[in-house]
Amino acid sequence: MLYFVYLRRPSRDSDLRRDPFWEFGSFGQTGCHGTNLMHPTRSPLTTGDRLVFLQGGKSEIRVVGLTPPIAVKRGQQPLNVTWDRGYRPLPYAMAPVFMDNSGDTDFPAAARILENTNRSTNCAKMASRLRSRNSPVDRDLQEQLLRWFSRDSLPTISHYLEAIDMVESKWVQHGLAAGWASTRERALRFAEASGVYPDVNESDKQALPIAKIGAARNSCKAADPQRKKLRTGCR
């Protein structure tokens, strides 16, 4: 089964948005979604399921990741799920659009989620529906997501900030300057949340590249120049 995880947009420059810990193949250590999907006893998640990470943005929501099959560790507070730590999500700038405020989407079946939701914009409607959702993705939407993510050579992040916002955004630039993306900082944050300092691979210890402003935008065009043509306006 596939399950949505809706991640909110950073509320201010100092908002770390540290979970998921992609580097360690882990989600849930901070207690995020602990009252619904990640509830320690009532969560519907089982080993072998996969998580679809939706990242809220300015006037749009993007699908930044579809994890490998997860392992669910119960009997913990909070619930924690893990997956192959070699996996990395898409950069936000290159991720497909789940829904934007004009009604465009790369996944036509997503439009059904908006039905009978009394909010002012499409993104607000989606957020209302997805924040507390703990039911699996509908079959037709699941097929569309699996088809999109079965593409070869999808781009991946070089640091976790890239999965949350455009590289040129003030938030990403602040996070890079503050050292949030360093392996040591991420390991310390993980240990702070979990109580366990993670194993760090030698490859992880290498200095992470700091993307130049505008680089992600240009890479996005090069990676998929037809992406806008793939979207379908919702009705």
Side-chain angles (χ1 to χ4, degrees):
M1 294 285 193
L2 303 188
Y3 288 86
F4 287 128
V5 180
Y6 177 77
L7 303 172
R8 66 173 175 82
R9 187 182 181 206
S11 59
R12 57 191 181 281
D13 288 348
S14 60
D15 187 356
L16 277 169
R17 305 307 301 142
R18 53 185 176 167
D19 204 10
F21 287 96
W22 301 109
E23 306 90 334
F24 313 119
S26 173
F27 178 66
Q29 294 288 5
T30 63
C32 187
H33 298 263
T35 61
N36 40 75
L37 182 65
M38 300 294 288
H39 192 280
T41 59
R42 296 197 300 270
S43 172
L45 296 176
T46 60
T47 294
D49 290 333
R50 302 174 71 181
L51 301 181
V52 181
F53 281 96
L54 305 175
Q55 178 60 57
K58 186 177 182 180
S59 302
E60 65 182 7
I61 299 169
R62 297 195 181 212
V63 187
V64 295
L66 172 60
T67 68
I70 61 174
V72 180
K73 299 181 180 180
R74 297 192 180 276
Q76 301 184 36
Q77 291 280 355
L79 181 72
N80 181 43
V81 300
T82 59
W83 54 80
D84 182 349
R85 62 183 287 174
Y87 171 78
R88 293 294 183 273
L90 297 168
Y92 180 87
M94 304 179 196
V97 173
F98 189 68
M99 182 61 63
D100 68 17
N101 281 339
S102 67
D104 284 338
T105 175
D106 286 315
F107 308 98
R112 297 176 192 170
I113 300 174
L114 300 176
E115 295 175 358
N116 302 315
T117 307
N118 187 22
R119 293 292 301 276
S120 59
T121 67
N122 287 338
C123 288
K125 291 177 182 179
M126 279 293 183
S128 292
R129 290 290 187 180
L130 296 171
R131 271 196 299 259
S132 60
R133 179 176 172 135
N134 61 4
S135 57
V137 178
D138 293 343
R139 179 174 296 181
D140 52 351
L141 182 51
Q142 175 174 290
E143 290 174 355
Q144 292 173 15
L145 287 161
L146 289 171
R147 188 180 309 119
W148 200 100
F149 279 89
S150 67
R151 299 178 181 190
D152 295 330
S153 303
L154 290 175
T156 57
I157 60 170
S158 58
H159 52 74
Y160 89 100
L161 303 169
E162 287 185 327
I164 300 173
D165 206 346
M166 302 292 185
V167 169
E168 62 265 34
S169 73
K170 186 179 178 182
W171 181 82
V172 171
Q173 293 302 308
H174 173 82
L176 289 173
W180 293 352
S182 75
T183 301
R184 180 177 181 276
E185 176 70 12
R186 290 291 282 167
L188 288 172
R189 295 293 180 182
F190 183 86
E192 180 183 80
S194 67
V196 178
Y197 195 88
D199 291 333
V200 179
N201 296 329
E202 286 301 317
S203 60
D204 294 335
K205 295 179 181 178
Q206 298 176 4
L208 291 169
I210 297 179
K212 296 180 180 179
I213 294 177
R217 180 182 297 163
N218 294 333
S219 297
C220 181
K221 293 177 181 178
D224 194 354
Q226 301 298 315
R227 188 169 65 83
K228 285 189 176 181
K229 294 182 180 179
L230 295 175
R231 299 186 195 170
T232 301
C234 66
R235 295 174 176 84

